[in-house]
Every structure is written in structure tokens, then in C-alpha cells.
Amino acid sequence: MLSKERNEELTRVGPGTPMGALMRRYWHPIAASSEVSEKVPTKPVRLLGEDLVLYRDRSGGLGLIGPRCAHRNAEMRYAVPEPNGLRCCYHGWLYDQTGLCIEQPGEPRPFRNEVRIPAYPVREVGGLVFAYLGPAPAPELPMWDVLTWPNVTRKVTASILPCNWLQCMENSLDPVHFEWLHRYYGTYEIVRHKPDSSLDEWDHQTAERGKHHVKLGFELTDYGIIKRRLLEGETERDDHWRLGHPILFPNVLRVGQYDWHGLHYRVPVDDTTTLHIMLDVELPPHGSQVTSNAPVPVKYWPVHDEKGELIQVFDGPWEPYHVVAQDQVAWIAQGPISDRTVEKLGATDAGIVYYRKLLKEQIDLVAAGGEPMNVHREPKDCITLAIESARYPSDGEGERGAMFKDVVARTDYEVSLV
Ligand code: FES
Ligand SMILES: [Fe+2]
């Protein structure tokens, strides 16, 4: 349970808020690269409570600027891309990537040096566009393995969720929900919507992580938290415990299984809206090459069906998306901002308490003028993260995570559930 004040402090992300100040120290994905192109050069975006316009100029570069022209407020989403910026549709004022007005074509005595609109740095990697809204100098964009691996097939899937970002992240620190939300409720919903053989397949897929949890462990690392689960019948040498699952501070879940790896970003659009943007990669069979170099495809999933009900079962053929649908139901069902003043936490919520404490420490660190964790100042080509149950590009046929075979689990916090 949290006080009303602490709940507000941990959830509100607009300009001037403590959590907003922390979130502004990180790069956040705002779109897929393929969403801005020669034919569709602008996209209105909202990030951390700020309205902006993302655009691709005629040189192929990206810019992220304020939503309205400084002249007489025309929306910059209706504008013409030029080789060096974006030109307002109304009287042709041209802005560069820094937000500076560089042309006022109708003015006999231009005063462009006095005219500027907001602008933020953007970077493009792995099929995603990232923005940084914090103080200069911008840190390095961390090159997580999923973003940079060559010879993989990438896709982006996104949803706009009508709930606060923290609900999504608390779910990632809550291993026990797998038993119920994904195995029990998930099976129930699949049977209810599709009374056919998918039940056996679903049960097979979720049986492993859906077993009863007997111990939870959490390790604090430079980049976030590794969550570990000890399941009934397993030992601490099993990968669920030994390798666990990384959470990248403050708002990203690293996922993976078999030949699939992913980064799931829970991007705060504003206090009550979250852009859930998933970059998933698939490894080709061992020893083979991916041939297509087509742009990374993007698909936005609706959250509600035609009756206005939350979508509980995705139609897609891919099992992990069922898991995401079930998670989305839980996140949204907690309300626009979950009222944590009335919750009743138990032993199974140990990870949530641990994560909230870490968030508060990092908020206070930023407020005191410090640099929070997982802000990168040195460029790195590829940051590889260990995750349970997944094959890596360096693995041979039939191997999973060979480079992590000697890793020994460490925990900073454990809780027994027996
Ligand atoms: S409103 Fe943009 S140039 Fe006039
Ligand atoms: Fe889940």
C-alpha cells in the first residue's frame, strides 16, 4: 500500500514532476522507423505529457519538434519536408532539427534568429525511433543486443494502452502472476473463445513457467533488476533461477524463448496512457542467413474489440502474443492509475516493493543533482543480456545460452513462498 502522495510521485510523468524528471534521463522509443517516410513524412507523437511532431526530412534524417509553428500556431504535422528541415504549410517558415527557424520566405526583414520551437534529439536503430527529452548532453542510446544483432528478422508490434506505465512495469516484477493470469485465466479465455485443440498447445507452452512458485529472488545490476523464480520441482541450477529474466531500468522488459528475443518498452505517453512497443527478433536456423532486408514491419494492435470489451485473446498465430493480451487485460483492468492506497500486498508482491523502492531512490538521486542508474555515457556496440530458455546467435544447433553456462545466480533479495 502506498500513500496518495507516493502513488502520485511514482506515476506522474509530466514536465516538472519527480518521476517525469527521472524518465527524461532515458531514451524512449516513440515510433517504428517505417512510420515516417517520403509518402508519410510526419507523425504526431506524445511522450511524457508533451505533444510533438516526428518527421523525416528529404535527406532521410529525422527531427522531433514542437507541435505548432511559432508564427501563428499552424500544426506542424501539416508541413512539407525539405532537405534540411520541416516547412510550415501556412506561410512557409522552415525549421531545422534544433527547432530554429531558418527561413521566413514572406518577410521583407526576416527575424528568424529570434524564432525557435521546442526540439529534441532522435536516434534510429533496430527499426525503432528513440527520443530523448532530458537535459543536455544526451547520453548514449544503449545498444541492447536485440537492437543491434545482424542476421535476424525484426518486427515491431505496438498498442496504445489506456493506463499508467507503472502498472505494466509492476507486472514484470511479479513472477507469480504467470500461474494465474497466463496459465489459468489464459487457458480459460482460450477455451471460451476458441473451443478447439489450442488448449493442449497452450497448456504445453505455459506449463513450464506456470508451475507453482516456491521462491522469488531479485538481483540489482548496473542496468536494472534480474528476477528469478524457483518453481516446484526445479533446483537453483535450472535456468528460471540461474539466468532469470532482466528488467531494464526504468521501463523495459527483456523477453525471449527458443529462437525468439524481444524488448518490450512501456513508454509513458502521459499519466494515463502508455505506448507498449515491442521489438521482437527471430533468429534464423543455425548456420543460415536471413535474406530479406525489407524495412522492419510495424503493426498496431487494438486494445478493445467492436463491443468495447478488452481483447483477451489475440488472433495471431504466435503464442507470446496471447501472453501479452492477457497482461494488457490485467494492466488496464487496474484502472487509469491504480489506486495503491487501498491495495493489500502479500509475500508474492516482494518484487513490486523492491522495484518501487528502487524507483524512489532514483527519483531522489535525480532531484539531488545526480545521474540515475542505467544512463550510458560510453558508447558500446552491443550489450548482450542473459535470459532463460533462449538460443543466442553464437549458439550451435540445439544449444541455448552456451555463453552463459558458467553463470551462477546471485540475489540481493529473496522471499520464500512455502
Ligand atoms: S503559421 Fe506557420 S508560417 Fe505562418
Ligand atoms: Fe505476464
Side-chain angles (χ1 to χ4, degrees), residues 98-132:
T98 72
L100 184 68
C101 182
I102 52 175
E103 281 183 25
Q104 292 170 308
E107 287 298 319
R109 283 172 294 286
F111 48 97
R112 53 186 178 260
N113 289 339
E114 300 158 31
V115 178
R116 187 180 278 283
I117 58 175
Y120 296 106
V122 275
R123 294 276 307 277
E124 201 170 10
V125 61
L128 292 177
V129 177
F130 291 82
Y132 175 77

Side-chain angles (χ1 to χ4, degrees), residues 171 177-178 181-182 323 326-327 331:
N171 166 287
H177 83 270
F178 205 97
L181 183 71
H182 297 310
V323 171
Q326 292 148 13
D327 280 327
W331 304 336

Side-chain angles (χ1 to χ4, degrees), residues 50-70:
E50 295 187 44
D51 287 313
L52 299 161
V53 171
L54 173 68
Y55 69 89
R56 191 178 295 282
D57 66 28
R58 275 204 199 154
S59 308
L62 292 176
L64 181 67
I65 58 175
R68 290 186 184 278
C69 176

